[in-house]
Amino acid sequence: MRVRIFKLTERNNFAILLDITALVRKAHHSRDSGGESITLEFLLGTQMTDIKKSIHGEWSSRFAFILAATGSAVGLGNIWKFPYIAGENGGGAFVLVYLLCVLLIGIPIMMAETMLGRRSRQNPIDTMITLADEAGADKNWHYLGWMGVIAGFLILSYYSVIAGWASAYTVKAFFGSFSGADATEIKSLFDGFVGSPLQLMFWHSLFMLATMLIVARGVNTGLEKAVRFLMPSLFVLLILLVGYAMTTGDYYDQGIAFLFSPDFSKLTGEGVLIAMGHAFFTLSLGMGAIMIYGSYLPKDVSIAKTVYLIAGTDTVVALLAGIAIFPIVFASGLEPAVGPGLIFQTLPIAFGNMTGGWFFGVLFFVMLVFAALSSSISLIEPAVAWLVEKKDMSRKQACIWSGAVTWLLGLATVFSFNAWSNVKVFDRTLFQLLDYLTANLMLPIGGFCIAVFAGWIMTQQHTTHEMDMPDALSYKVWRFVIRYVSPTAVFLVFLNVIGVL
Ligand code: PFF
């Protein structure tokens, strides 16, 4: 009699401990050429995920996950980035492509990414190792996890600098710097600010420190508490700003028309790539952030319903930001294509001139900083979880290491707005390069691989069980989209950009 244990790899130690009961359940008899044997099938199988929990803890409820994932999704991407890239890419047609990408690529991949995390309950790197092992697939899938962790560092490095701008603008709003100012004054205030490496460095450091402090406190205490009250407040403020924008003369004529009447002659292949990249960026997809949050998701929560809610909220926030900003842009005679400074050159005009502007200005930038914080913590969490799981570090040590690396990388962005503004790689400043590399290449490639993995590598039995859709049809639709539609769409956009189409 022999005992065989399958798929027992050193890397799976953690999973083995948790799944030992399932191991016993799975023991069954089999015959092979040598006679009777007992085969202990160690499959990280259907039942096992039901009893598995992440060593980092679990969200206290579905609501907590929704808040955290929405916190990750809603951030600078919606309020700072979406308006300025829509402005640079001609508005309406760009917005339409972005919305299509959210629907056909973003939402299905968000479901897949959450599902992968919940099934493995580990950091993204080990998630890929475990699930590839389970599916009998190639080990190389773990590079997907690595790419995600690296993308997280790179994104956070510039994210933190821009969040630093928002922090600085909170203080400027508080001291009345916008009061009564016109577009030219607000612009020179902005130019003076980003022209100073010391100021940018100071605010970048402060923001990184805040991120590290929150992440060090862990999933339940740190992350969950931080996002609980931020999201609703931001939402209310945006509505208020839309209200203000409606009072400007250019609300419908130019503001709304710019965002919602598509002119396809203004859309380039590059613009389509940017719109798709932004769908990944804004939903925090393709790099393991949603995967790691999924790994803390309780078993009985419906992934599909939750994802619709998160993606819907994220999209509404971005559109509201656009609706608030563009009327002010046109009413103040500004160009929609001024770039990353767009909200910092427009909203202060509104705050400086509306009744109660001082109060709303301070509040708005405070909210923006908090929205950025609830995203930045998710950018660093995959790396921190990996360091804790694999390198035996405490959360605190892991935060210090990853925070220090990100801070250092962030200096490239700090200087790209001043001292190194002439340094160009592929015709881009270092900030533009980092943004392009991560949002337009790494995230879509990561998302493409996640779709292929969930659609083609994992068994249908496992995905059915894990997705736990309300009905068979919803599952079929999702599986079709994740196998065919999403990967093909990403692929076509890439082909288009390199000029093959
Ligand atoms: N979704 C965030 C935003 O829109 O600001 C940015 C982001 C967070 C991107 C987490 C990627 C990520 F993994």
Side-chain angles (χ1 to χ4, degrees), residues 166-367:
S167 320
Y169 266 61
T170 313
V171 176
K172 289 188 199 304
F174 184 82
F175 286 109
S177 309
F178 314 141
S179 158
D182 62 17
T184 334
E185 285 161 334
I186 294 291
K187 181 172 167 14
S188 62
L189 185 78
F190 177 75
D191 291 342
F193 172 64
V194 294
S196 155
L198 268 184
Q199 288 196 52
L200 297 200
M201 215 173 350
F202 172 78
W203 291 107
H204 162 56
S205 313
L206 211 63
F207 186 82
M208 273 313 303
L209 210 66
T211 303
M212 285 151 71
L213 281 176
I214 298 178
V215 178
R217 296 186 64 197
V219 181
N220 292 328
T221 34
L223 311 193
E224 210 177 303
K225 280 204 188 118
V227 290
R228 197 161 271 263
F229 65 98
L230 302 175
M231 289 302 108
S233 337
L234 183 72
F235 203 75
V236 173
L237 256 160
L238 272 176
I239 306 246
L240 218 126
L241 277 173
V242 171
Y244 173 79
M246 286 172 99
T247 66
T248 71
D250 284 303
Y251 181 66
Y252 286 108
D253 297 350
Q254 286 187 284
I256 296 295
F258 180 79
L259 267 184
F260 295 111
S261 58
D263 174 357
F264 283 94
S265 67
K266 287 189 185 156
L267 191 66
T268 58
E270 188 77 15
V272 175
L273 177 70
I274 297 173
M276 180 182 75
H278 189 64
F280 283 98
F281 185 88
T282 192
L283 295 174
S284 308
L285 296 179
M287 57 141 284
I290 288 298
M291 201 184 287
I292 195 84
Y293 276 15
S295 78
Y296 310 141
L297 183 63
K299 177 66 203 144
D300 50 355
V301 172
S302 155
I303 290 182
K305 271 196 234 154
T306 313
V307 163
Y308 279 126
L309 194 69
I310 297 165
T313 312
D314 184 78
T315 310
V316 170
V317 171
L319 293 177
L320 281 178
I323 297 172
I325 285 159
F326 284 107
I328 305 174
V329 170
F330 292 111
S332 320
L334 290 168
E335 276 297 310
V338 294
L342 186 68
I343 65 159
F344 297 96
Q345 293 180 36
T346 50
L347 294 182
I349 305 175
F351 297 133
N353 295 289
M354 69 200 235
T355 19
W358 177 86
F359 177 74
F360 294 130
V362 175
L363 212 57
F364 175 81
F365 284 111
V366 168
M367 291 299 127

Side-chain angles (χ1 to χ4, degrees), residues 24-41:
V24 176
R25 264 195 266 150
K26 272 251 159 186
H28 67 82
H29 294 270
S30 73
R31 281 182 179 280
D32 64 14
S33 51
E36 269 249 297
S37 73
I38 294 177
T39 304
L40 285 180
E41 258 189 346

Side-chain angles (χ1 to χ4, degrees), residues 45-164:
T46 314
Q47 300 89 336
M48 298 186 187
T49 55
D50 300 350
I51 57 164
K52 236 160 108 178
K53 289 221 163 95
S54 167
I55 58 167
H56 308 282
E58 197 170 79
W59 303 115
S60 57
S61 63
R62 169 173 183 255
F63 184 59
F65 172 75
I66 292 177
L67 279 177
T70 312
S72 167
V74 175
L76 295 175
N78 307 61
I79 294 161
W80 159 75
K81 193 174 180 193
F82 171 71
Y84 99 72
I85 55 175
E88 285 181 334
N89 290 284
F94 174 89
V95 174
L96 197 68
V97 175
Y98 153 73
L99 291 176
L100 270 176
C101 289
V102 166
L103 197 69
L104 295 179
I105 304 174
I107 290 175
I109 292 182
M110 196 174 200
M111 291 180 190
E113 198 174 327
T114 313
M115 184 259 295
L116 297 189
R118 183 164 73 178
R119 186 160 182 83
S120 123
R121 301 230 182 267
Q122 288 158 286
N123 67 77
I125 297 168
D126 288 281
T127 291
M128 293 321 296
I129 293 174
T130 305
L131 297 185
D133 234 19
E134 176 186 61
D138 201 285
K139 274 201 178 52
N140 288 330
W141 279 102
H142 78 277
Y143 288 117
L144 178 57
W146 277 110
M147 186 172 73
V149 168
I150 294 168
F153 277 117
L154 296 179
I155 296 176
L156 186 53
S157 80
Y158 68 81
Y159 203 84
S160 163
V161 176
I162 310 294

